[in-house]
C-alpha cells in the first residue's frame, strides 16, 4: 500500500473511531393533536402548531385576506407532539446519550417512554437531558406536551399585585412580537421550533469552545482557546487546535481548559466598506489514545471593537471604533423574517444580509421583541462585514424579577452568549428595547393607577434584570472577554434634550408625533438607533395578501387588515398631502407611498451624515417584514426592494455630496466614510430647468481642504445660483471632484416639494440590450422613474436627468417593462 492510500486509510479509521456522534430526531415521523382531540395528525419538526394546522387545512393561512382573526383560538389551546424512534443495542452501548432540544416554544413537558424528563418555560433556551437510562433497545416514544402560553402567562400575571402593561406577554419568555405589533399579526404559536437531536459520547466531550483574542498586531494574533470539557474519568488527554496538539490532564466531571494559540501575519476582519471580512476556520478536537472523542470547527474574525463614550462640550460621544479607527455606522433594525420562524430559509437570511451589503450598510440591530436569530444569520453577517447590535429579547413593557424569572433569564443569556460570542460580527449586547423609556415616558403608572410602592417595584425589577442579572451573566459566561454591554436602547427617551446629546436615540417625532420630515434636520443625536416612516409593500406583495383575485382598493378589508398601526393610513395621507398629491388610482397611491417613505428617510439620513463626528451612527427602522404588510420596512415580506431600499443604496454611499438650505443660502457638505482620503476637492454646480435648459454654472472650492471624513464648503446665496428663476422649475446637478478631476460623488438638489415641481412630460425610451438588460433614456427630467413588474432591477425609483440614459440590469429575462414617473401622478 503506498503512503497516500495508507494515510487515507488511517484517516478514515480515525474518523470511524470517533467517540462522538449525533442523530437528528427532527427527521423522524412526528405527529400532533389538540389535547381535546383523539386523532393524531402528521407534523413537521422544526415547526409550529399553526404551520401544522395549515398543512392539514384546519385553519386558513393567516397571512391571507383577514384570516388572522379567524385563527386566534389556537393560542388558547394545549397541544401534544410525539414520535417513535428506534434505538439499536449498539447505540445503547455508548456511555452517554443526551437528548437535545435546541428550541421549544414555550411551556412544555418532555416525556420519554412515559417518564417525565423536564418541564420547560423559555423559547430561547437549549434543553439538554441525559437519557441513556430511559432508552430501550427497539422503539422509544418521545412526547412533548405544550401548554397555552397565554393561559400560563395570565396565571403568572395574577401573582403580581398590580397590572403590568402588555400582560401577559412580559411574563412569558417567548418571542414578544407573536403577541402582535404595529407591523405584525397576533399569532401566539407553540411547537418544536428548532432541531431535536440525540447526542452520543464516550469518555469525554467538548461542551463549549470560546476563542479569546488577547493581543492583535500586524505580525501576530495572540489567542486563548477556552475549552469546557466534561470527562467521565480523570486522565491524560490531547487537545488539537488547528492540528497543533497539546497534552492536558482532566479531572472527572467539568473541566475548564485554556490553551494559548497564535496566528502569524493575521488578516483583519473588516466591516463592509473598509475591506474584506477575513475569517479563519480553526478545527479543535479532543482526543485520547489517538481517537477523536469530540470535535468542533470554530470560525472567527480578528478585529477590535470599542464603544467610545467621552464627555465633550456638547454632551458625550457615542461611537464604535473598529480596528482602532472610528467607524461611521450605517444600517438598519432587523425583525424576524416570518411570523413562523422555522420556515425562514438559509437562502432568505443570506439574501437579506447581502441586500444590506449592497446598500453599503455595516451594522444591523437585532431588535429585542423578536428572536435570537438562526446561526445562518450571524454567519451571513460574518461573511458580509455586517456588525451586529444584539438586543436581548425584551421589548416595550415591564418585566418581573422574581427568583425563578432571574434564573431563567440567566440561563437564557448563558445559552445565547455561548452560542454567539465567537462570531466576528457581534459588536454589542443590549439589554432591551425601549423598557427604560417605557417606565419613564409612557405613562403606564398613571394609566394603571400604580401606588408609589408599585412604581418603585417596577424600577427595582428593571434594575435587577438589566443592570445586574444580564451583565453579570455576560461576564460569567464569556470568560475573560471584553463584551460591550448597553443596558437599554434608547438610553434616554425622545422628548428629553439629553437624548440628542448622549447615548443612542430613538426619534419618533416624525410619524408618531406627526412632525414634518424637515424636523429631522433639527433632531440629530449622537447615534440614531431608531427612526422611520411607513410605506406600502410592492404591488406584487400586496397581491399576495389575497387568497383569490386581488381587489386593489384602499377600502378593501384585506388591504385594511394588513395595516397594523391604528392610525397608519391617516398618518400616511397627512404626510402625503404635505409633499405630494394623493392619487385616487391604487397603483399610483402605492407608488407615491413608497416615494414618501424614501423621501422622509433620505432627509433623516442626510441630516445625520451632515453632522458626522457629532453623530456617528444611523440605523433606520426597519429592514424587513414578518408577513405582507404596510410597514416601515425597506424590503417587503416577499424580498422585493421598496423605493426606500433603492434610496438607501444612494444615501449610504461611502462618499456623498449633501446640501442644506439655511437662511437663504445653500450649504454643501462632502462626506467620506472610506479609509482613503481625497485631495483638493471641488463642487461643480449646474442649475437646470426641468425641461433641460441650463441656466447657470458655478464651481465652489473649500480652502484647500482634504476630504478625510467631512468637509463643509462656504455657503452660496440661493439667489446667486438661480437668479430670476422659478424655484419650482429648476434643480441643481451637483458633482464632487478631486484635484485630478475624478468624480467622487454626485447628487441633485430640488428647491421645492415634489407636489410643487413644474415638471415637463418626459419622452422615455426603453431599449432592450439583452434578455436581462435595458437602456432607459429621456429628453427632459424624468422624476422618480418607476420600473414596474415582478422583477428586481439594479436601480429603480431614480431621477433620470435631461438628455441622459442609464443601463439597468434585470434579474431574470423579461418581455416588457412598464414605466411610471412623478409627472404621471401630478398630471392625472
Amino acid at each position: 500500500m503506498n503512503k497516500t492510500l495508507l494515510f487515507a486509510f488511517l484517516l478514515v479509521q480515525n474518523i470511524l473511531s470517533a467517540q462522538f456522534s449525533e442523530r437528528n430526531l427532527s427527521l423522524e415521523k412526528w405527529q400532533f393533536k389538540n389535547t381535546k382531540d383523539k386523532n393524531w395528525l402528521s407534523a413537521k419538526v422544526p415547526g409550529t402548531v399553526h404551520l401544522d394546522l395549515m398543512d392539514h387545512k384546519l385553519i386558513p393561512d393567516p397571512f391571507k385576506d383577514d384570516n388572522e382573526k379567524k385563527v386566534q383560538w389556537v393560542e388558547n389551546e394545549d397541544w401534544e407532539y410525539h414520535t417513535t424512534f428506534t434505538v439499536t443495542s449498539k447505540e445503547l452501548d455508548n456511555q452517554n446519550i443526551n437528548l437535545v432540544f435546541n428550541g421549544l416554544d414555550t411551556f412544555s413537558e418532555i416525556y420519554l417512554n412515559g417518564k417525565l424528563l423536564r418541564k420547560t418555560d423559555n423559547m430561547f433556551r437549549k434543553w439538554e437531558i441525559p437519557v441513556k437510562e430511559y432508552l430501550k433497545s427497539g422503539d422509544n416514544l418521545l412526547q412533548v406536551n405544550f401548554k397555552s402560553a397565554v393561559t400560563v402567562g395570565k396565571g403568572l400575571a395574577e401573582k403580581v399585585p398590580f397590572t403590568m402593561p402588555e400582560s401577559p406577554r412580559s411574563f412569558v419568555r417567548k418571542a414578544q412580537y407573536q403577541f402582535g405589533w404595529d407591523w405584525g399579526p397576533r399569532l401566539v404559536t407553540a411547537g418544536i421550533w428548532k432541531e431535536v437531536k440525540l447526542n452520543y459520547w464516550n469518555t469525554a466531550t467538548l461542551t463549549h469552545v470560546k476563542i479569546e483574542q488577547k493581543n492583535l498586531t500586524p505580525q501576530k494574533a495572540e489567542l486563548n482557546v477556552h475549552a469546557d470539557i466534561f470527562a467521565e474519568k480523570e486522565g491524560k488527554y490531547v487537545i488539537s487546535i488547528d492540528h497543533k496538539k497539546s497534552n492536558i490532564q482532566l479531572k472527572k466531571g467539568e473541566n475548564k481548559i485554556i490553551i494559548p494559540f497564535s496566528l502569524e501575519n493575521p488578516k483583519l476582519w473588516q466591516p463592509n466598506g473598509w475591506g474584506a471580512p477575513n475569517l479563519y476556520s480553526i478545527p479543535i478536537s479532543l482526543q485520547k489514545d489517538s481517537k477523536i472523542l469530540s470535535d468542533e470547527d470554530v470560525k472567527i474574525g480578528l478585529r477590535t471593537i470599542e464603544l467610545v463614550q467621552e464627555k465633550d462640550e456638547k454632551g458625550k460621544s457615542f461611537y464604535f471604533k473598529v480596528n482602532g479607527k472610528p467607524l461611521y455606522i450605517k444600517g438598519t433594525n432587523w425583525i424576524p423574517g416570518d411570523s413562523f420562524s422555522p420556515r425562514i430559509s438559509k437562502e432568505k437570511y443570506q439574501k437579506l444580509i447581502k441586500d444590506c451589503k449592497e446598500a453599503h450598510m455595516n451594522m444591523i440591530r437585532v431588535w429585542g421583541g423578536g428572536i435570537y436569530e438562526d446561526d445562518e444569520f450571524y454567519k451571513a453577517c460574518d461573511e458580509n462585514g455586517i456588525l451586529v447590535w444584539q438586543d436581548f429579547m425584551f421589548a416595550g413593557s415591564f418585566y418581573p424579577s422574581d427568583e425563578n424569572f432571574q434564573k431563567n433569564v440567566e440561563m437564557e443569556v448563558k445559552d445565547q452568549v455561548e452560542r454567539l460570542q465567537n462570531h466576528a460580527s457581534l459588536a454589542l449586547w443590549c439589554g432591551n428595547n425601549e423598557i427604560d423609556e417605557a417606565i419613564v415616558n409612557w405613562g403606564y403608572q398613571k394609566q394603571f393607577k400604580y401606588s408609589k410602592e408599585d412604581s418603585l417595584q417596577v424600577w427595582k425589577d428593571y434594575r435587577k434584570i438589566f443592570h445586574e442579572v444580564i451583565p453579570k451573566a455576560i461576564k460569567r459566561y464569556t470568560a475573560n472577554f471584553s463584551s460591550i454591554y448597553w443596558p437599554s436602547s434608547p438610553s434616554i427617551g425622545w422628548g428629553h434634550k439629553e437624548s440628542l446629546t448622549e447615548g443612542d436615540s430613538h426619534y419618533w417625532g416624525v410619524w408618531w408625533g406627526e412632525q414634518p420630515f424637515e424636523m429631522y434636520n433639527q433632531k440629530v443625536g449622537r447615534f440614531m438607533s431608531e427612526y422611520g416612516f411607513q410605506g406600502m409593500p410592492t404591488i406584487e406583495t400586496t397581491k399576495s395578501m389575497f387568497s383569490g383575485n386581488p381587489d386593489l382598493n384602499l377600502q378593501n378589508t384585506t388591504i385594511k387588515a394588513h395595516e397594523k398601526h391604528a392610525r397608519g393610513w391617516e398618518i400616511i395621507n397627512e404626510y402625503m398631502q404635505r409633499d405630494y398629491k394623493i392619487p385616487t388610482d391604487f397603483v399610483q397611491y402605492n407608488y407615491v407611498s413608497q416615494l414618501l417613505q424614501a423621501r422622509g428617510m433620505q432627509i433623516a439620513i442626510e441630516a445625520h451624515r451632515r453632522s458626522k463626528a457629532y453623530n456617528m451612527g444611523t440605523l433606520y427602522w426597519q429592514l424587513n417584514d414578518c408577513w405582507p404588510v404596510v410597514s416601515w420596512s425597506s424590503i417587503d415580506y416577499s424580498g422585493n426592494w421598496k423605493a426606500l431600499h433603492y434610496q438607501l443604496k444612494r444615501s449610504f454611499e461611502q462618499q456623498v455630496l449633501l446640501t442644506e438650505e439655511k437662511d437663504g443660502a445653500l450649504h454643501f457638505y462632502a462626506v467620506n466614510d472610506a479609509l482613503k482620503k481625497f485631495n483638493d476637492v471641488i463642487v461643480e454646480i449646474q442649475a437646470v430647468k426641468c425641461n433641460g435648459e441650463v441656466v447657470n454654472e458655478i464651481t465652489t472650492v473649500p480652502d484647500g481642504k482634504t476630504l478625510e471624513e467631512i468637509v463643509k464648503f462656504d455657503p452660496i446665496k440661493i439667489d446667486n445660483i438661480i437668479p430670476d428663476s422659478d424655484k419650482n422649475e429648476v434643480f441643481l446637478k451637483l458633482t464632487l471632484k478631486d484635484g485630478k478631476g475624478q468624480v467622487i460623488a454626485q447628487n441633485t438638489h430640488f428647491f421645492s416639494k415634489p407636489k410643487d415641481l413644474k415638471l415637463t412630460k418626459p419622452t422615455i425610451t426603453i431599449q432592450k440590450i439583452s434578455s436581462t438588460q435595458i437602456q432607459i433614456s429621456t429628453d427632459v427630467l424624468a422624476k422618480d422613474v418607476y420600473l414596474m413588474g415582478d422583477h428586481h432591477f439594479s436601480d429603480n425609483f431614480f431621477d433620470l436627468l435631461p438628455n441622459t440614459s442609464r443601463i439597468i440590469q434585470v434579474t431574470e429575462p423579461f418581455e416588457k417593462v412598464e414605466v411610471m414617473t412623478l409627472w404621471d401622478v401630478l398630471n392625472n
Side-chain angles (χ1 to χ4, degrees):
M1 184 181 291
N2 63 39
K3 290 183 179 180
T4 303
L5 288 175
L6 178 61
F7 176 79
F9 173 78
L10 291 173
L11 181 62
V12 170
Q13 287 297 105
N14 199 32
I15 292 171
L16 290 174
S17 66
Q19 300 294 292
F20 179 92
S21 61
E22 64 180 26
R23 176 174 169 185
N24 190 350
L25 294 184
S26 307
L27 303 177
E28 302 294 334
K29 292 181 179 179
W30 286 85
Q31 293 181 312
F32 85 110
K33 71 178 183 69
N34 190 316
T35 54
K36 297 174 181 176
D37 298 334
K38 293 181 179 180
N39 295 329
W40 291 87
L41 301 168
S42 61
K44 292 179 182 176
V45 172
T48 73
V49 67
H50 284 83
L51 293 176
D52 290 329
L53 290 168
M54 275 191 278
D55 284 345
H56 290 280
K57 303 191 184 319
L58 294 174
I59 60 170
D61 185 344
F63 286 13
K64 303 287 187 182
D65 306 321
D66 57 354
N67 291 339
E68 176 196 353
K69 62 187 178 185
K70 298 176 183 176
V71 304
Q72 293 306 304
W73 62 271
V74 176
E75 70 179 38
N76 298 309
E77 301 297 314
D78 298 337
W79 302 92
E80 299 177 16
Y81 282 75
H82 75 201
T83 189
T84 300
F85 62 97
T86 302
V87 175
T88 66
S89 57
K90 185 175 181 181
E91 287 174 305
L92 285 175
D93 286 342
N94 286 281
Q95 294 172 358
N96 298 276
I97 307 175
N98 290 353
L99 175 62
V100 181
F101 286 92
N102 284 307
L104 292 170
D105 186 8
T106 292
F107 295 99
S108 79
E109 295 177 343
I110 305 167
Y111 292 86
L112 181 59
N113 295 325
K115 171 70 175 179
L116 175 62
L117 300 180
R118 184 73 55 88
K119 293 183 179 182
T120 78
D121 58 356
N122 192 321
M123 174 181 179
F124 307 121
R125 286 177 61 181
K126 176 181 177 181
W127 305 95
E128 187 163 2
I129 310 162
V131 293
K132 178 177 168 67
E133 63 181 300
Y134 308 116
L135 290 169
K136 59 184 180 180
S137 181
D139 290 341
N140 291 261
L141 177 64
L142 177 60
Q143 299 167 274
V144 186
N145 299 341
F146 291 95
K147 294 286 187 183
S148 161
V150 172
T151 302
V152 175
K154 286 178 180 177
L156 293 170
E158 288 172 359
K159 296 179 181 179
V160 177
F162 50 87
T163 302
M164 297 273 262
E166 304 292 340
S167 185
R169 74 166 169 84
S170 56
F171 292 89
V172 179
R173 291 310 302 141
K174 75 187 268 103
Q176 303 285 274
Y177 80 112
Q178 290 184 8
F179 292 84
W181 225 267
D182 54 8
W183 39 256
R186 182 182 176 99
L187 294 166
V188 187
T189 194
I192 305 170
W193 76 289
K194 290 193 173 185
E195 285 190 331
V196 188
K197 296 181 178 180
L198 277 181
N199 286 345
Y200 307 98
W201 64 275
N202 297 286
T203 310
T205 185
L206 292 165
T207 54
H208 294 102
V209 175
K210 314 164 190 176
I211 298 185
E212 176 189 6
Q213 185 178 287
K214 292 291 290 181
N215 191 39
L216 183 61
T217 69
Q219 294 76 36
K220 181 182 287 190
E222 296 177 0
L223 311 171
N224 275 343
V225 176
H226 296 250
D228 293 353
I229 302 171
F230 194 93
E232 278 289 305
K233 58 181 180 180
E234 66 174 300
K236 293 180 179 179
Y237 294 78
V238 171
I239 190 163
S240 172
I241 302 172
D242 198 19
H243 311 295
K244 298 174 184 176
K245 295 182 178 181
S246 300
N247 294 317
I248 57 174
Q249 178 72 29
L250 298 181
K251 64 181 181 181
K252 183 178 180 179
E254 294 182 358
N255 295 263
K256 292 186 179 295
I257 303 297
I258 302 176
I259 305 291
F261 178 71
S262 65
L263 292 167
E264 302 296 325
N265 304 314
K267 294 181 178 179
L268 294 181
W269 183 93
Q270 293 283 19
N272 185 31
W274 274 14
N278 295 297
L279 295 169
Y280 288 85
S281 185
I282 302 177
I284 298 171
S285 64
L286 177 66
Q287 303 173 16
K288 188 173 180 61
D289 301 329
S290 300
K291 292 181 180 180
I292 297 175
L293 304 177
S294 180
D295 62 356
E296 189 171 337
D297 194 38
V298 183
K299 237 174 196 173
I300 63 166
L302 302 172
R303 83 291 183 272
T304 61
I305 300 178
E306 306 167 62
L307 176 59
V308 181
Q309 297 184 81
E310 297 174 339
K311 289 185 177 181
D312 55 31
E313 68 280 2
K314 295 180 179 178
K316 186 188 289 186
S317 68
F318 189 104
Y319 68 90
F320 290 90
K321 189 181 282 188
V322 179
N323 297 328
K325 298 173 183 176
L327 174 68
Y328 189 87
I329 296 297
K330 296 174 292 193
T332 187
N333 286 263
W334 171 282
I335 67 166
D338 202 299
S339 288
F340 306 119
S341 303
R343 70 177 177 189
I344 308 175
S345 66
K346 290 184 177 182
E347 291 75 19
K348 185 168 187 175
Y349 279 118
Q350 287 287 344
K351 180 189 178 297
L352 284 169
I353 300 305
K354 285 174 182 173
D355 287 342
C356 292
K357 180 180 181 180
E358 191 175 340
H360 311 291
M361 299 184 200
N362 55 29
M363 178 176 277
I364 292 179
R365 172 177 174 243
V366 179
W367 169 75
I371 61 173
Y372 304 95
E373 286 297 340
D374 186 83
D375 291 342
E376 192 69 23
F377 170 87
Y378 302 95
K379 177 176 177 286
C381 289
D382 290 347
E383 293 168 347
N384 288 281
I386 309 294
L387 293 165
V388 175
W389 170 311
Q390 178 67 57
D391 281 6
F392 287 98
M393 293 301 117
F394 303 85
S397 184
F398 302 168
Y399 288 83
S401 72
D402 56 86
E403 189 173 338
N404 287 339
F405 195 82
Q406 287 182 47
K407 189 62 178 176
N408 203 355
V409 169
E410 181 187 347
M411 292 298 98
E412 174 184 324
V413 174
K414 174 183 183 294
D415 285 351
Q416 298 304 329
V417 163
E418 290 182 335
R419 179 173 72 99
L420 300 177
Q421 64 182 321
N422 287 323
H423 283 281
S425 54
L426 188 64
L428 173 143
W429 294 100
C430 179
N432 67 76
N433 171 76
E434 295 184 345
I435 297 178
D436 187 306
E437 180 175 23
I439 294 173
V440 175
N441 274 9
W442 292 0
Y444 282 132
Q445 293 88 334
K446 184 177 181 181
Q447 178 183 343
F448 295 116
K449 299 179 181 179
Y450 281 13
S451 66
K452 183 178 180 180
E453 290 73 20
D454 295 340
S455 296
L456 288 173
Q457 186 62 47
V458 167
W459 188 247
K460 183 180 177 182
D461 291 343
Y462 172 80
R463 296 286 303 181
K464 172 61 70 173
I465 296 298
F466 301 105
H467 289 262
E468 293 183 37
V469 173
I470 292 178
K472 284 181 180 177
I474 293 173
K475 187 175 182 180
R476 179 176 180 182
Y477 297 112
T478 54
N480 299 319
F481 292 28
S482 56
S483 294
I484 302 170
Y485 177 69
W486 188 240
S488 185
S489 180
S491 49
I492 303 170
W494 71 277
H496 299 267
K497 68 176 184 178
E498 293 84 5
S499 70
L500 299 177
T501 61
E502 59 184 87
D504 71 313
S505 305
H506 293 193
Y507 177 67
W508 286 103
V510 172
W511 181 266
W512 280 99
E514 296 185 46
Q515 295 291 323
F517 286 146
E518 290 72 22
M519 189 60 73
Y520 281 129
N521 294 319
Q522 300 177 34
K523 303 295 184 179
V524 178
R526 308 310 293 258
F527 191 101
M528 304 301 292
S529 49
E530 260 197 42
Y531 58 93
F533 194 87
Q534 281 196 354
M536 291 193 74
T538 60
I539 290 293
E540 293 71 32
T541 298
T542 304
K543 290 177 180 178
S544 76
M545 299 173 182
F546 296 82
S547 58
N549 291 326
D551 175 18
L552 299 182
N553 185 322
L554 290 174
Q555 302 309 313
N556 183 279
T557 55
T558 293
I559 300 291
K560 287 184 174 182
H562 288 74
E563 163 61 271
K564 300 303 291 183
H565 191 283
R567 296 183 55 247
W569 293 115
E570 181 183 336
I571 295 172
I572 290 172
N573 285 335
E574 169 63 28
Y575 278 86
M576 193 179 291
Q577 194 167 26
R578 295 175 190 175
D579 288 5
Y580 291 88
K581 172 184 174 182
I582 301 180
T584 55
D585 175 78
F586 184 87
V587 174
Q588 289 191 350
Y589 186 94
N590 178 282
Y591 162 64
V592 174
S593 84
Q594 291 193 54
L595 293 181
L596 180 70
Q597 180 189 27
R599 173 175 164 79
M601 294 302 91
Q602 179 184 5
I603 291 171
I605 291 166
E606 290 187 357
H608 302 159
R609 296 194 71 183
R610 288 197 307 267
S611 301
K612 186 175 182 179
Y614 178 82
N615 169 275
M616 284 298 289
T618 179
L619 303 175
Y620 72 94
W621 182 269
Q622 66 206 56
L623 176 71
N624 57 324
D625 286 324
C626 66
W627 75 316
V629 64
V630 182
S631 83
W632 294 265
S633 72
S634 63
I635 299 175
D636 67 26
Y637 176 71
S638 303
N640 300 312
W641 287 24
K642 294 158 69 170
L644 172 55
H645 207 80
Y646 285 102
Q647 181 57 51
L648 291 165
K649 186 177 178 181
R650 296 186 280 268
S651 293
F652 282 161
E653 284 273 9
Q654 286 289 80
Q655 293 83 36
V656 289
L657 176 59
L658 307 176
T659 56
E660 181 183 23
E661 288 187 45
K662 194 189 299 181
D663 302 324
L666 197 61
H667 299 248
F668 301 89
Y669 303 78
V671 183
N672 175 29
D673 291 336
L675 296 176
K676 65 178 180 180
K677 61 184 180 180
F678 300 88
N679 296 316
D680 303 320
V681 292
I682 64 168
V683 175
E684 293 179 353
I685 307 165
Q686 190 178 65
V688 187
K689 287 187 176 181
C690 294
N691 64 8
E693 179 187 346
V694 177
V695 297
N696 198 6
E697 293 182 309
I698 305 174
T699 299
T700 180
V701 181
D703 297 329
K705 289 184 179 178
T706 297
L707 174 55
E708 292 190 61
E709 294 188 9
I710 184 168
V711 170
K712 300 176 183 178
F713 292 74
D714 289 335
I716 303 176
K717 288 185 177 293
I718 294 174
D719 290 343
N720 292 338
I721 302 174
I722 50 169
D724 304 319
S725 295
D726 185 342
K727 290 183 179 180
N728 293 337
E729 66 176 0
V730 176
F731 68 93
L732 303 182
K733 177 185 176 184
L734 308 169
T735 305
L736 177 69
K737 293 183 177 180
D738 66 11
K740 297 179 181 178
Q742 175 188 350
V743 175
I744 303 169
Q746 293 182 303
N747 205 349
T748 54
H749 179 88
F750 290 87
F751 296 96
S752 304
K753 291 188 174 184
K755 68 177 182 180
D756 297 322
L757 292 174
K758 293 182 178 178
L759 298 173
T760 304
K761 182 178 181 179
T763 301
I764 294 176
T765 303
I766 296 180
Q767 179 184 354
K768 190 171 183 179
I769 298 174
S770 71
S771 62
T772 58
Q773 195 176 63
I774 60 173
Q775 178 175 282
I776 181 169
S777 308
T778 184
D779 56 342
V780 298
L781 174 67
K783 186 86 175 80
D784 299 317
V785 173
Y786 173 30
L787 302 173
M788 305 168 71
D790 193 12
H791 307 289
H792 177 73
F793 299 95
S794 58
D795 200 1
N796 210 344
F797 301 94
F798 55 85
D799 293 341
L800 194 59
L801 303 189
N803 301 307
T804 63
S805 63
R806 186 175 299 194
I807 303 293
I808 302 292
Q809 305 291 331
V810 190
T811 52
E812 55 191 20
F814 62 94
E815 292 299 322
K816 184 181 178 182
V817 174
E818 295 184 12
V819 65
M820 182 186 294
T821 71
L822 186 61
W823 187 92
D824 298 309
V825 175
L826 298 181
N827 292 275
N828 186 5

